[in-house]
Amino acid sequence: MDTGSVEKAAAALLDAYATGTPIPPLTTTYPGLSIIDAYTIQLAQVREWTAAGAVVKGHKVGLTSAAMQRQLGVDQPDFGHLTDAMFFQDSAPIDSGRFLQPRIEPEIAFVLGRPLSGPGVTTAEAVAAVDFVLPALEIIDSRIADWEITLPDTIADNASSGGVVLGTRPVRLDGLDLALTGCLLYRGGVLEQTGAGGAVLGSPINALVWLANVLGERGVSLEAGHVVLPGSVTASIPVGPGETVTATFAGLGPVTAIFTGAAR
């Protein structure tokens, strides 16, 4: 994919953010779009955001559970960037108008206490780099119309990132078995989904290792203080104005997202 096409694709996605109008799948507009091309498009947008003053505060790993891979028709994980503008406070109002086609999913967020640099990162090194974990709700969103995405589409679209709500009770990894950590996801007080950390590549730690090594191959390190979302423990659910979503994790506690305003 030539530089001009990369810039046009990135500009189309940025325009979708600005106007609230989703675009056709990039794989339709640019047949043969590769995963390498898609990450190049993603990074072009990140450069635009940081040039405008945004700060990268972490990364997300997506499509780590069989449920999410089936739901979106893909067969491998991907990653995206989290900027400061994507973080929302627990139980504080979130303007639904910020998003185009939001869905929500529960995750166990890692907060790093030291840098983690791949390739070659081991499970032991990843565990040692984690300061604490928090319950989290990731708001995923798509700038691609009707969520008609293939893997390159979602990668180019910053792994379908939208926002993240972090819980407020930090928990050390000592004594936790993240693979067995269960989760109940409620919308409006009604139980919508159940899951456990083992849905995320066998354990969320495995997603952290994967991310550190994939980024390391690109010359990027995970930084101390950054947040890593390893992937959803359940299938995602759609969310809209007036709805409240709470995820309760065994041993970690609850986190709540409250959506207000009007849809775009």
Side-chain angles (χ1 to χ4, degrees):
M1 192 174 191
D2 61 74
T3 302
S5 296
V6 167
E7 292 176 350
K8 288 180 181 178
L13 289 166
L14 291 169
D15 187 63
Y17 279 98
T19 65
T21 303
I23 64 173
L26 292 177
T27 46
T28 299
T29 306
Y30 302 96
L33 180 72
S34 71
I35 289 176
I36 293 174
D37 294 333
Y39 278 117
T40 303
I41 294 167
Q42 180 187 134
L43 289 172
Q45 295 168 85
V46 174
R47 285 194 297 270
E48 290 288 332
W49 293 330
T50 55
V55 179
V56 174
K57 292 288 188 178
H59 288 80
K60 62 156 290 184
V61 184
L63 308 175
T64 51
S65 71
M68 286 305 300
Q69 289 183 3
R70 285 195 301 270
Q71 190 175 30
L72 296 181
V74 301
D75 60 1
Q76 60 181 287
D78 66 351
F79 72 83
H81 293 70
L82 301 174
T83 69
D84 53 337
M86 296 179 184
F87 286 81
F88 302 94
Q89 295 297 310
D90 186 12
S91 299
I94 300 170
D95 181 8
S96 299
R98 294 176 59 110
F99 309 105
L100 281 70
Q101 308 173 90
R103 298 179 178 180
I104 201 162
E105 52 190 35
E107 308 201 16
I108 300 170
F110 296 108
V111 180
L112 300 184
R114 65 181 73 170
L116 193 58
S117 300
V121 167
T122 65
T123 298
E125 290 168 332
V127 169
V130 175
D131 191 4
F132 54 86
V133 295
L134 293 168
L137 287 166
E138 185 186 4
I139 305 161
I140 59 172
D141 198 8
S142 184
R143 275 55 62 176
I144 307 298
D146 301 318
W147 282 93
E148 291 187 9
I149 57 174
T150 64
L151 185 60
D153 288 302
T154 184
I155 289 172
D157 191 23
N158 195 31
S160 302
S161 297
V164 56
V165 182
L166 297 176
T168 57
R169 176 175 170 258
V171 179
R172 304 288 180 181
L173 283 180
D174 300 352
L176 284 176
D177 186 337
L178 295 185
L180 297 180
T181 298
C183 175
L184 303 175
L185 182 66
Y186 297 88
R187 177 173 52 187
V190 177
L191 182 63
E192 293 277 352
Q193 296 279 344
T194 64
V200 182
L201 297 180
S203 169
I205 287 289
N206 293 332
L208 178 60
V209 172
W210 178 87
L211 177 65
N213 287 327
V214 167
L215 287 178
E217 293 171 356
R218 293 163 168 79
V220 177
S221 295
L222 296 171
E223 299 182 21
H226 275 198
V227 173
V228 173
L229 298 179
S232 180
V233 304
T234 72
S236 66
I237 60 172
V239 68
E243 294 187 318
T244 297
V245 178
T246 297
T248 301
F249 289 85
L252 299 179
V255 57
T256 296
I258 301 173
F259 292 89
T260 62
R264 296 182 78 165

